[in-house]
Amino acid sequence: MTEKFVDVWQANILSQEAAKQNYYELLNADEKQKVDTFLRAELQQKYINTRGILRKVLGTYLNMKPQDINIKTAEYGKPFVDDSEIFFNLSHTGNKLVIAVSNVSEIGIDLEQLRGRKNLKGLVKKCLSTVEKKSWESLSEQQQIFMFYYLWVRKEALVKAIGRGIAMGLDQCIVDPVQQTKFLSIPGGGDSINDWKIVEVKLNQEDVCALVIKDINFNYQLIELE
Ligand SMILES: CC(C)(COP(=O)(O)OP(=O)(O)OC[C@H]1O[C@@H](n2cnc3c(N)ncnc32)[C@H](O)[C@@H]1OP(=O)(O)O)[C@@H](O)C(=O)NCCC(=O)NCCS
C-alpha cells in the first residue's frame, strides 16, 4: 500500500539561490505571457520564481520535466494537475512561499506574516464568527494579533482545500476552540464539517501557517528549498 504523505515545501522566492536558477525556462507559453502583465520587475521575478519552484517541486512527484507539467486552473482559481495521484496547494506572503503536496485528499494551505495591521478590527468584523469575535475581544492587543492570524490561516486553508476561495464566507467557517484540528461549522455545513481536519504548520516565529486536509494520518515532512 502506498504510504500517505503530506510534504510542505518552503522557499524564499527572492533568495540568492533562486536568483541563480533560470526558472523562466520552466514556464509554459501562457505563464511567460503573464509575466509581461506585471509592471514591476520585482513582481515579474516573484511570479516567475513561484511558478518555476512549483513546477520543479511537482516534477519530483510526477516524474516529469517541470516544463511539461500541465497545470490547470479550476473554476474558482485552484490549480491542479489532471490525471495525477497528487493534490497540492500553495500560499505566498512577502518573499516566502509554501507548497503543500499530498496523496491523501484535496488540500489547502495558507501562510501569513504575523504583523499588526491598521485594519485589523475591520478584518475581524468581516472574517470572524460572532462567537470568535466575542472571545477575540477579551484578549490583550498582542494576543489579538496572534489569534486573528491563527484563525485566519485555518479558515483560508479550508476555503482553499474546498477550492471555492474566500467568497464562501470566512465568518461562516468556525474553528473549534476546544478540538483544534476541527471546524465547528463550515459554509454549507452538513457532514462535510467532519471531513476536514486542520494541521498546524510550524515554520518560525514571524509566520503563521496551517493546512486543511481530509485525514490526519500521514507522514509529514517540512522541506526547505533554497
Ligand atoms: C484563493 C484565495 C483564498 C487566496 O488568497 P491569498 O491569501 O491572497 O493568497 P495565497 O498566497 O494564500 O494563495 C494564492 C494561491 O492560491 C491558489 N489559489 C487561487 N485560487 C484558489 C482557490 N479558489 N482555491 C484554492 N487555491 C487557490 C493559487 O495557486 C494562488 O497562487 P498564485 O496566485 O501564485 O497562482 C483568494 O484569492 C480567493 O478567494 N480566490 C478566489 C477568487 C474567486 O472566487 N474567483 C472567482 C472568479 S472565477
Side-chain angles (χ1 to χ4, degrees):
M1 209 172 72
T2 323
E3 274 190 353
K4 291 183 183 173
F5 71 85
V6 171
D7 294 341
V8 175
W9 296 73
Q10 62 167 335
N12 177 343
I13 39 178
L14 293 183
S15 69
Q16 287 180 353
E17 210 38 58
K20 286 187 212 151
Q21 311 288 323
N22 192 354
Y23 284 126
Y24 186 78
E25 286 314 312
L26 304 187
L27 308 192
N28 70 15
D30 286 349
E31 290 166 338
K32 284 180 179 166
Q33 233 175 20
K34 188 166 173 189
V35 172
D36 298 327
T37 66
F38 295 97
L39 297 179
R40 282 176 35 216
E42 184 183 305
L43 295 180
Q44 290 186 344
Q45 202 56 55
K46 278 183 168 180
Y47 175 75
I48 293 168
N49 292 0
T50 299
R51 271 330 253 204
I53 292 170
L54 174 65
R55 287 182 168 278
K56 184 169 153 183
V57 164
L58 294 178
T60 62
Y61 297 88
L62 300 169
N63 215 4
M64 285 174 78
K65 282 195 197 151
Q67 52 273 46
D68 293 341
I69 301 169
N70 186 8
I71 303 175
K72 294 187 174 174
T73 306
E75 188 180 358
Y76 299 99
K78 186 169 184 172
F80 68 100
V81 181
D82 241 353
D83 297 325
S84 86
E85 314 246 305
I86 59 150
F87 302 90
F88 71 94
N89 195 229
L90 56 142
S91 182
H92 30 76
T93 180
N95 298 344
K96 293 172 186 168
L97 167 70
V98 286
I99 303 173
V101 186
S102 177
N103 61 353
V104 173
S105 73
E106 283 294 351
I107 189 166
I109 189 163
D110 194 54
L111 167 69
E112 296 291 337
Q113 227 176 324
L114 195 54
R115 65 192 162 99
R117 308 167 79 127
K118 278 198 191 122
N119 60 343
L120 190 62
K121 281 218 163 90
L123 286 168
V124 163
K125 206 168 157 197
K126 245 184 22 204
C127 307
L128 302 199
S129 67
T130 312
V131 188
E132 288 167 339
K133 263 179 240 163
K134 237 185 162 172
S135 75
W136 184 85
E137 277 158 6
S138 69
L139 301 172
S140 70
E141 199 177 323
Q142 214 37 45
Q143 287 170 326
Q144 282 186 337
I145 296 171
F146 177 78
M147 185 51 69
F148 170 73
Y149 286 108
Y150 174 93
L151 295 171
W152 172 268
V153 295
R154 283 156 173 76
K155 289 164 185 251
E156 281 238 1
L158 172 70
V159 298
K160 293 175 79 182
I162 295 172
R164 285 287 308 277
I166 47 178
M168 275 193 96
L170 295 185
D171 58 333
Q172 291 167 58
C173 309
I174 307 178
V175 178
D176 189 327
V178 183
Q179 275 182 275
Q180 305 207 337
T181 57
K182 280 184 62 208
F183 290 92
L184 270 189
S185 160
I186 68 174
D191 291 340
S192 50
I193 297 174
N194 297 317
D195 282 354
W196 298 105
K197 313 278 189 284
I198 305 166
V199 180
E200 162 109 31
V201 177
K202 287 204 174 88
L203 297 176
N204 52 54
Q205 301 290 328
E206 298 107 58
D207 301 300
V208 186
C209 185
L211 65 87
V212 167
I213 193 161
K214 286 195 172 177
D215 184 357
I216 41 175
N217 298 308
F218 50 71
N219 287 324
Y220 172 77
Q221 330 178 49
L222 182 62
I223 306 164
E224 203 136 347
L225 191 87
E226 54 213 27

